[in-house]
Amino acid sequence: MNIRLVRLHPFAGVRDQSFKFKDGLNVLLGPNEAGKSTLFQALYHVLFTPTSLTARQVENEVGRFFPVGGGDVIRVDLTLQLEDEDVSIKKTWKLGTRQGSAQLILPDDSEFINDEQIQQQIDTLLPVTPATLKTIFLSDQSGLQETIKQMKDDPQVRGELGSVLRKSVMETGGVSVDRFRELIESRYEEYFKRWDREQKYPENNRGIANRYTTGTGKIVEAFYEKEQTRIDHLKALEFEEKLDAINEQISESKLKYQEKDKEYERRRPLKKGVQQRRTKELELRNSEQELATLRDINKQWPVFEDRLTAIDPEIEKADQQIEACRNELKKAEEKQKVATLRERVRKINKLREEVEAAK
């Protein structure tokens, strides 16, 4: 008899899940609370716990397996293989008195729904007596001491267990216990080589910085891969922190640029006034130089006045000449003013072009 399928829908913390088994050794592997014990309990109760129970019996036998979030029903389906044909067992437990149901279908399509008849049929299908199956094959970790004691004290249990083991050896092609042990050790070496199980670390403290390059098991290789991934992750985090710092600096620089741009726009109208002021300052300096020249002339004026008195007869003639010169000077000054204005216009146009280029 082989177990082919166990379905829990629901049972304990499992809402609806099926577990398929194959020929040979099947191992359930997983961390705590992964559901290994739940599957074990489901298998135990579908084989040995009746469904027609009182409310108190339901609570005592399977009460802890009802859904925590609510629900008044649990179900377990079991498919067994018997000489290449399937035997189906389905059990449903409900809260209340005599509310459950059960069904067993044999390979010849014979169907049973009575709890007592179903249990009788299950007992005939078992490779050993129910007592041996419960205490030996379905013993949990806490009951190993009692299981070992019963195996030593009860000849019937030892005989049934020996028959099952011999049959298993024959059905697996005659693989001996030594060969089986050799295979187990080989598989153990494949996974645990160079791994310290107590320290949960590679042997001789050979971590990622001083790693083994050859002769390691899969666990050590997975450890090195995990450590390398962790280091790469830390480097990635460091890079992200630097990138965030650079982005922050860029944001700050952008903000400062925007502030400077606003300040420039605010002060840009003053630029024309500054340029005009520079021009006026230059004109003022020229005027001051002209004023200094005129003051020097004014100091020399009495000397010239005495000379004019002495040459009074020539003054009239000189006045005429001066008048003529003044007329010419006036014309010359007008020409000079025009030239000066043209030069100023040229400079102003040049400044205007520079301002437009600056804008």
Side-chain angles (χ1 to χ4, degrees):
M1 180 190 73
N2 295 324
I3 300 174
R4 284 302 180 195
L5 175 70
V6 181
R7 181 187 178 192
L8 287 60
H9 60 118
F11 191 87
V14 179
R15 184 176 180 180
D16 188 352
Q17 189 171 358
S18 298
F19 300 86
K20 295 182 180 180
F21 294 82
K22 297 181 179 180
D23 292 337
L25 179 65
N26 291 263
V27 178
L28 295 178
L29 180 64
N32 292 336
E33 305 301 328
K36 304 186 299 296
S37 298
T38 299
L39 178 60
F40 174 84
Q41 292 294 335
L43 183 60
Y44 179 91
H45 287 289
V46 76
L47 288 174
F48 298 113
T49 303
T51 58
S52 181
L53 304 173
T54 64
R56 181 178 295 275
Q57 288 174 331
V58 170
E59 181 64 28
N60 293 337
E61 295 291 336
V62 294
R64 66 183 185 277
F65 302 118
F66 282 84
V68 177
D72 61 353
V73 61
I74 55 176
R75 302 183 186 87
V76 179
D77 298 347
L78 174 64
T79 301
L80 302 175
Q81 186 182 47
L82 184 65
E83 296 180 356
D84 296 329
E85 293 184 320
D86 290 341
V87 176
S88 174
I89 303 173
K90 298 181 180 181
K91 288 190 176 182
T92 300
W93 294 269
K94 295 183 179 181
L95 297 177
T97 300
R98 314 298 180 188
Q99 298 296 317
S101 61
Q103 180 191 51
L104 183 145
I105 301 177
L106 295 175
D108 61 358
D109 293 332
S110 300
E111 182 176 354
F112 299 87
I113 59 173
N114 179 271
D115 261 349
E116 185 176 351
Q117 293 180 341
I118 289 175
Q119 194 58 51
Q120 290 175 356
Q121 292 294 328
I122 291 175
D123 292 347
T124 60
L125 296 174
L126 298 178
V128 294
T129 61
T132 300
L133 186 66
K134 290 178 182 180
T135 57
I136 303 299
F137 293 93
L138 294 178
S139 61
D140 56 18
Q141 187 174 358
S142 61
L144 289 180
Q145 293 293 336
E146 182 63 27
T147 298
I148 294 173
K149 182 177 182 302
Q150 186 168 358
M151 289 173 58
K152 292 180 179 179
D153 298 341
D154 193 335
Q156 181 181 356
V157 171
R158 292 199 304 273
E160 292 180 348
L161 181 60
S163 297
V164 171
L165 291 177
R166 284 191 297 272
K167 183 178 179 182
S168 298
V169 171
M170 295 299 294
E171 289 178 351
T172 55
V175 178
S176 65
V177 175
D178 292 337
R179 175 56 179 164
F180 180 73
R181 182 184 295 109
E182 180 182 347
L183 293 174
I184 292 295
E185 290 176 351
S186 174
R187 185 60 60 87
Y188 180 89
E189 185 77 2
E190 178 184 354
Y191 281 89
F192 287 93
K193 190 175 183 180
R194 299 289 189 182
W195 180 254
D196 190 330
R197 295 182 62 183
E198 294 183 359
Q199 299 294 329
K200 295 183 179 180
Y201 204 79
E203 293 178 353
N204 302 317
N205 290 323
R206 297 283 292 272
I208 188 69
N210 188 26
R211 61 191 298 171
Y212 289 106
T213 57
T214 59
T216 58
K218 292 184 177 180
I219 294 179
V220 173
E221 293 174 359
F223 174 82
Y224 287 149
E225 183 177 356
K226 182 200 72 173
E227 285 297 296
Q228 187 62 51
T229 302
R230 182 181 64 82
I231 293 173
D232 294 341
H233 176 66
L234 293 176
K235 290 181 179 179
L237 291 178
E238 182 181 359
F239 174 78
E240 288 179 356
E241 291 177 356
K242 292 181 179 179
L243 182 61
D244 291 340
I246 293 174
N247 288 331
E248 185 175 356
Q249 292 177 358
I250 292 175
S251 298
E252 292 176 355
S253 300
K254 185 177 181 181
L255 182 60
K256 291 180 180 179
Y257 171 77
Q258 291 174 350
E259 293 176 353
K260 295 291 184 182
D261 188 59
K262 291 179 180 178
E263 184 67 15
Y264 172 76
E265 292 295 330
R266 186 179 68 82
R267 296 188 178 186
R268 187 166 61 174
L270 301 176
K271 184 176 180 181
K272 184 176 181 180
V274 171
Q275 293 173 343
Q276 292 177 349
R277 179 177 176 178
R278 290 175 180 175
T279 302
K280 295 298 182 181
E281 288 176 348
L282 180 60
E283 292 177 354
L284 179 60
R285 286 195 296 269
N286 294 333
S287 299
E288 288 175 348
Q289 291 176 359
E290 292 177 359
L291 179 60
T293 302
L294 292 173
R295 285 175 178 173
D296 292 338
I297 294 173
N298 188 47
K299 289 179 182 180
Q300 298 175 4
W301 183 257
V303 177
F304 290 114
E305 188 174 9
D306 291 340
R307 290 181 64 186
L308 286 174
T309 302
I311 58 174
D312 188 61
E314 298 178 2
I315 288 178
E316 184 176 356
K317 184 179 179 181
D319 285 341
Q320 294 175 358
Q321 292 176 352
I322 289 172
E323 184 66 27
C325 290
R326 283 179 178 175
N327 291 332
E328 293 179 1
L329 179 61
K330 186 176 181 180
K331 293 178 181 179
E333 287 177 350
E334 290 177 353
K335 290 181 179 181
Q336 182 64 30
K337 287 181 180 180
V338 170
T340 301
L341 287 174
R342 286 178 178 174
E343 179 62 20
R344 289 182 62 185
V345 169
R346 186 187 66 79
K347 290 181 178 180
I348 289 172
N349 289 333
K350 183 178 180 181
L351 289 173
R352 182 181 291 110
E353 291 175 358
E354 291 179 354
V355 169
E356 291 299 323
K359 288 181 180 181

